[in-house]
Amino acid sequence: MGEVRNAERTRKKIIDAAKEEFFEKGHNGARIESIAKRAGVKKQLIYHYFKGKDDLINQTIDNFVAAVPTENLTLPANPVEIAEFRLKVNINYLKDFLKYTAWEAIEELPEESNGEETRRKVLQSYNDDMVKKQQLGLVPKELDPALITLMMSSLTIYPLLYKNVTQMITGHTLEEPEFQEKWAQFLHQISERIFKREE
């Protein structure tokens, strides 16, 4: 039993170190040697638990998503509240992970090396949720649910990742609590217009 516990502890140390390394440096910038150093283990031990770098990033992302409290992936019933809700979740729980995803825009990645399957399930659940809300008459029938999901992702991620551009445009960043609140209110106002129900 002690060996099993030790193996679980070692594996967790590696996953935690991998998360720091990948989220800071992206897939291509991350090094197994650096992950081993962060975890305080020998490089060979990582290959004992994981098939290689791609397996390690996939399992790291799976582990990260599984650790996000379920209520943070369950969208509000009222579509007007979704963008504001997603912004707060992104700021409070997903900021470092979203920085990792920004690396994808500039890196050439091997297939199946960025936790795509797990991430697709989460994003597809957002699409499915929007389709259900449309069927309930809460979302205008002329709007494509997938495009609404993409729009909400853009509006809730861009100001978080692109601090300099946000500051150049608005004079503020989302690190400022007052601007966080202002942007959340703006998202709510925009959503009220998009999802306005016919009287």
Side-chain angles (χ1 to χ4, degrees):
M1 196 66 181
E3 282 183 26
V4 172
R5 282 205 191 100
N6 285 338
E8 285 172 358
R9 259 198 306 270
T10 301
R11 194 175 181 284
K12 184 180 184 311
K13 275 168 56 175
I14 294 169
I15 288 273
D16 289 345
K19 183 176 82 168
E20 290 176 10
E21 179 79 4
F22 282 118
F23 287 9
E24 280 177 24
K25 300 178 181 176
H27 178 281
N28 293 344
R31 297 284 175 267
I32 294 293
E33 295 86 353
S34 299
I35 293 168
K37 189 174 179 182
R38 286 178 191 253
V41 300
K42 291 185 177 173
K43 179 180 168 182
Q44 292 80 0
L45 194 57
I46 292 180
Y47 290 106
H48 173 74
Y49 288 99
F50 305 94
K51 294 173 190 170
K53 189 175 177 181
D54 294 346
D55 182 39
L56 182 53
I57 184 59
N58 284 327
Q59 291 200 44
T60 298
I61 290 175
D62 288 351
N63 181 272
F64 175 78
V65 172
V68 175
T70 310
E71 61 269 20
N72 291 321
L73 298 175
T74 305
L75 298 174
N78 183 350
V80 170
E81 298 169 2
I82 292 176
E84 187 179 359
F85 171 83
R86 286 189 59 189
L87 175 68
K88 288 180 178 171
V89 169
N90 287 347
I91 290 170
N92 294 327
Y93 296 95
L94 304 180
K95 190 174 181 180
D96 290 337
F97 171 69
L98 292 170
K99 285 179 184 173
Y100 165 75
T101 67
W103 284 103
E104 295 175 327
I106 55 173
E107 292 184 335
E108 183 118 359
L109 298 180
E111 285 186 30
E112 304 299 323
S113 64
N114 59 354
E116 188 172 325
E117 188 178 331
T118 298
R119 291 163 60 192
R120 188 189 304 277
K121 281 180 190 171
V122 173
L123 293 171
Q124 191 56 54
S125 75
Y126 292 166
N127 275 352
D128 295 343
D129 179 78
M130 198 60 68
V131 168
K132 285 177 190 165
K133 286 176 168 58
Q134 192 173 52
Q135 290 166 348
L136 291 169
L138 300 173
V139 175
K141 58 182 180 296
E142 68 273 15
L143 296 180
D144 183 327
L147 296 184
I148 296 174
T149 299
L150 178 61
M151 176 199 71
M152 287 188 173
S153 295
S154 304
L155 291 173
T156 59
I157 292 172
Y158 188 96
L160 190 61
L161 291 186
Y162 299 99
K163 181 169 76 173
N164 291 346
V165 176
T166 301
Q167 189 163 35
M168 284 186 251
I169 292 171
T170 67
H172 301 282
T173 71
L174 280 181
E175 290 171 356
E176 302 167 39
E178 299 82 5
F179 186 66
Q180 279 183 28
E181 194 53 42
K182 188 174 183 179
W183 187 246
Q185 286 172 2
F186 174 77
L187 292 177
H188 191 90
Q189 289 169 334
I190 291 294
S191 297
E192 281 180 325
R193 296 180 183 212
I194 293 171
F195 301 114
K196 186 176 180 183
R197 302 188 67 177
E198 299 296 326
E199 298 298 331

